[in-house]
């Protein structure tokens, strides 16, 4: 955890949109960063766009086009982070610290060429390390990179967390601090559940499930990269100095926090931004499912859950979930596909959401599923689809009962 030149410890911090929403917020962040710098650390700060900038830029584009080109959306959206990064560098200079802001491209973030959902291929850390060695705070735009063809790319909504962890890996830091508008990872979204508990730690695997199932406090790909390269994440408040949540290996977590008993359920996650697609009356023949999901694959669409019902009279029904954001891109293709494979009907339902429990107990203890489903039944919430793995159970329910579902399941397992 040191720069090659002078053995200075490296600190990588990421500040989210709410934490840099106004000039005052940015000044506060600059003061906090300056304190760390004066402790003798080499500091890299990754920032998101100010407040709701990204949403506002998307709305502007919608005023002009129903389906803007993805390349142009990347050109547009990456500007948001440039504003916050340069303003933070200006504020740091005002605090008496030398600072430089860099775009993802300037900082060496190389991605593939999938606009709006780019995957990181490599981080060339030399330029960052050079600035650190010369004593500057390096402020980098989150959420974006550049392809080998020199096209600007973005990593998908919420992607600044992933940028921060990738930069931490690229410069050899062992930890990455994610500073946000909550003071840690809770057993459920604190905006929905009244008495959530802050986790002192969470394993990479559990956090990855929580994030993939909708706990947006961390972008799931940031957890994937952290796990792969053994970088520890510290999620804490951007405004108050208090211990947050450590995301680390389960061995380290158990040892450090002295957890004797295994925790059954670590948390409840929910996701309202999904749509259910059903292809009804599909001929029960080999190759059909393959062609459906290959079509979706060509659009880089993530499928969140797939259910194929038992076949009846040579036909079956295939249902799956996609993120609402992706639906627009695949809708036309789905209609063509439904015709091609001879499905009797294509249904798209945007009024659904998923509620999930995550924890090692799902695999170890019998009865978790029963308790989860009964707690929904007591609230008269109907379960539409169910999916399980050894770390989670996920139910699709009507979106308007989603918050009630989260509260009921949290009461059952965590209160
Ligand atoms: P940032 O702009 O800093 O990236 P986000 O809005 O992306 O912040 O993520 C923080 C939000 O994540 C919180 O305000 C909270 O509502 C939400 N959240 C969802 N699930 C959880 C959870 N289990 N623990 C903490 N926060 C959660
Ligand atoms: N600004 C981007 C977004 O709003 C990236 C991020 O905040 O992480 O999605
Ligand atoms: Mg975020």
């Amino acid at each position: 955890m040191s720069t090659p030149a002078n053995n200075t410890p490296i600190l990588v911090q990421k500040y989210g949109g709410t934490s840099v929403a106004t000039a005052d917020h940015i000044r506060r962040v600059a003061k906090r960063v300056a304190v760390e710098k004066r402790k003798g650390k080499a500091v890299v700060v990754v920032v998101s766009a100010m407040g709701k900038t990204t949403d506002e830029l998307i709305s502007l584009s919608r005023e002009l086009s129903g389906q803007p080109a993805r390349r142009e959306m990347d050109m547009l959206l990456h500007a948001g982070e440039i504003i916050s990064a340069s303003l933070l560098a200006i504020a740091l200079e005002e605090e008496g610290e030398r600072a430089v802001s860099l775009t993802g491209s300037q900082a060496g973030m190389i991605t593939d060429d999938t606009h709006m959902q780019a995957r990181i291929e490599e981080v060339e850390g030399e330029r960052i390390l050079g600035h650190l060695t010369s004593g500057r705070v390096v402020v980098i735009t989150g959420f974006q990179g550049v392809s080998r063809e020199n096209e600007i790319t973005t990593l998908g909504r919420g992607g600044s967390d992933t940028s921060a962890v990738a930069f931490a890996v690229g410069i050899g830091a062992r930890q990455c601090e994610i500073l946000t508008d909550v003071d840690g990872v809770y057993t459920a979204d604190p905006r929905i559940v009244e008495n959530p508990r802050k986790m002192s730690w969470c394993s990479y695997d559990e956090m990855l499930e929580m994030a993939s199932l909708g706990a947006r406090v961390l972008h799931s790909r940031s957890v994937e990269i952290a796990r792969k390269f053994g970088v520890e994440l510290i999620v804490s408040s951007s405004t108050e100095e208090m211990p947050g949540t450590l995301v680390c290996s389960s061995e380290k977590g158990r040892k450090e926090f002295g957890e004797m008993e295994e925790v059954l359920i670590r948390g409840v996650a929910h996701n309202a931004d999904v749509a259910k697609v059903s292809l009804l009356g599909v001929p029960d023949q080999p190759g059909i499912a393959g062609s459906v999901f290959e079509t979706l694959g060509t659009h880089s669409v993530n499928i969140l859950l797939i259910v194929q019902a038992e076949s009846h009279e040579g036909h079956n029904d295939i249902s799956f979930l996609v993120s609402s954001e992706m639906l627009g891109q695949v809708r036309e293709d789905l209609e063509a596909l439904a015709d091609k494979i001879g499905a009797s009907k294509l249904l798209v339902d945007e009024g659904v959401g998923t509620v999930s429990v995550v924890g090692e107990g799902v695999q170890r203890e019998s009865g978790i599923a029963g308790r989860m489903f009964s707690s929904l039944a007591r609230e008269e919430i109907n379960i539409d689809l169910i999916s399980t793995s050894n770390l989670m159970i996920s139910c699709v329910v009507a979106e308007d009962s989603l918050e009630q579902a989260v509260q009921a399941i949290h009461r059952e397992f965590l209160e």
Side-chain angles (χ1 to χ4, degrees):
M1 206 163 88
S2 59
T3 50
N6 55 10
N7 263 357
T8 311
I10 299 179
L11 174 67
V12 179
Q13 293 191 323
K14 177 256 168 178
Y15 290 88
T18 335
S19 312
V20 292
T22 63
D24 274 342
H25 285 84
I26 291 178
R27 191 178 298 111
R28 260 177 266 152
V29 168
K31 285 187 192 299
R32 182 167 173 172
V33 169
V35 169
E36 295 298 332
K37 179 72 175 50
R38 285 174 207 137
K39 289 180 191 162
K41 295 177 190 169
V43 190
V44 172
V45 187
V46 176
V47 286
S48 292
M50 295 170 74
K52 301 243 167 280
T53 301
T54 310
D55 291 332
E56 287 160 10
L57 293 174
I58 292 173
S59 307
L60 271 176
S61 72
R62 294 264 156 82
E63 284 183 36
L64 299 168
S65 164
Q67 242 188 356
R70 294 168 71 84
R71 177 193 185 275
E72 299 310 329
M73 287 309 289
D74 276 351
M75 286 300 283
L76 176 67
L77 298 188
H78 96 297
E81 270 71 8
I82 297 177
I83 296 170
S84 48
S86 46
L87 288 175
L88 179 56
I90 291 169
L92 277 161
E93 292 275 346
E94 218 37 47
E95 289 301 316
E97 294 300 331
R98 287 198 302 140
V100 59
S101 65
L102 299 175
T103 64
S105 162
Q106 289 174 316
M109 167 77 72
I110 314 292
T111 72
D112 69 8
D113 57 5
T114 317
H115 286 294
M116 299 179 80
Q117 272 299 329
R119 307 284 299 181
I120 301 169
E121 292 188 345
E122 194 185 346
V123 172
E124 294 163 352
E126 295 75 24
R127 185 156 183 198
I128 303 173
L129 289 170
H131 283 301
L132 290 177
T133 307
S134 72
R136 289 189 178 83
V137 175
V138 182
V139 185
I140 313 175
T141 56
F143 172 59
Q144 59 185 268
V146 67
S147 73
R148 297 200 191 271
E149 293 75 40
N150 212 17
E151 288 288 329
I152 298 297
T153 55
T154 62
L155 308 182
R157 297 303 309 268
S160 297
D161 301 331
T162 297
S163 301
V165 180
F167 284 120
V169 172
I171 58 174
R174 306 301 308 156
Q175 279 194 339
C176 178
E177 295 184 6
I178 305 289
L179 303 165
T180 180
D181 59 1
V182 281
D183 60 4
V185 181
Y186 280 80
T187 47
D189 188 340
R191 289 183 206 287
I192 288 186
V193 165
E194 231 174 88
N195 301 308
R197 276 184 279 133
K198 184 158 89 178
M199 305 177 191
S200 45
W201 75 283
C202 183
S203 73
Y204 290 124
D205 292 344
E206 288 167 322
M207 193 64 235
L208 186 54
E209 286 290 353
M210 290 280 290
S212 309
L213 293 166
R216 74 165 193 281
V217 62
L218 284 175
H219 195 233
S220 63
R221 286 159 55 196
S222 71
V223 187
E224 241 172 282
I225 298 174
R227 177 175 71 177
K228 182 165 172 192
F229 292 93
V231 170
E232 292 173 0
L233 304 180
I234 298 165
V235 180
S236 54
S237 162
S238 62
T239 51
E240 287 163 83
E241 306 253 0
M242 55 161 84
T245 301
L246 176 69
V247 181
C248 61
S249 68
S250 49
E251 296 74 36
K252 168 155 182 174
R254 285 217 186 87
K255 204 160 126 203
E256 201 136 295
F257 296 92
E259 207 167 74
M260 298 291 286
E261 298 272 349
E262 314 257 315
V263 172
L264 276 187
I265 295 301
R266 187 68 72 178
V268 180
H270 72 282
N271 190 354
D273 299 325
V274 294
K276 185 178 77 164
V277 178
S278 304
L279 289 158
L280 306 183
V282 177
D284 190 15
Q285 290 160 7
I288 295 282
S291 60
V292 173
F293 294 105
E294 264 173 29
T295 301
L296 297 168
T298 56
H299 290 277
S300 303
V301 173
N302 274 342
I303 309 296
L304 306 171
L305 180 157
I306 303 173
V307 174
Q308 177 170 313
E310 187 131 325
S311 105
H312 47 91
E313 293 163 14
H315 290 82
N316 52 35
D317 302 336
I318 303 177
S319 295
F320 53 89
L321 295 186
V322 295
S323 70
S324 311
E325 204 189 339
M326 287 289 175
L327 187 63
Q329 290 166 51
V330 293
R331 211 185 258 269
E332 267 179 34
D333 281 4
L334 281 170
E335 281 158 12
L337 186 79
D339 274 351
K340 191 176 126 200
I341 62 175
S344 61
K345 207 168 195 177
L346 168 72
L347 296 177
V348 177
D349 185 356
E350 295 186 70
V352 296
T354 58
V355 58
S356 315
V357 293
V358 173
E360 292 178 355
V362 167
Q363 185 184 31
R364 226 180 29 248
E365 295 277 321
S366 60
I368 303 272
R371 284 173 64 192
M372 180 180 182
F373 304 156
S374 298
S375 63
L376 292 175
R378 280 194 294 277
E379 303 289 321
E380 302 197 348
I381 296 172
N382 189 47
I383 303 172
D384 192 352
L385 300 172
I386 299 169
S387 152
T388 63
S389 78
N390 53 10
L391 265 183
M392 65 88 174
I393 304 172
S394 195
C395 297
V396 175
V397 299
E399 190 176 343
D400 54 15
S401 52
L402 192 56
E403 295 198 359
Q404 201 189 344
V406 175
Q407 289 154 358
I409 295 171
H410 193 268
R411 264 197 309 278
E412 174 67 28
F413 291 103
L414 294 153
E415 286 174 33

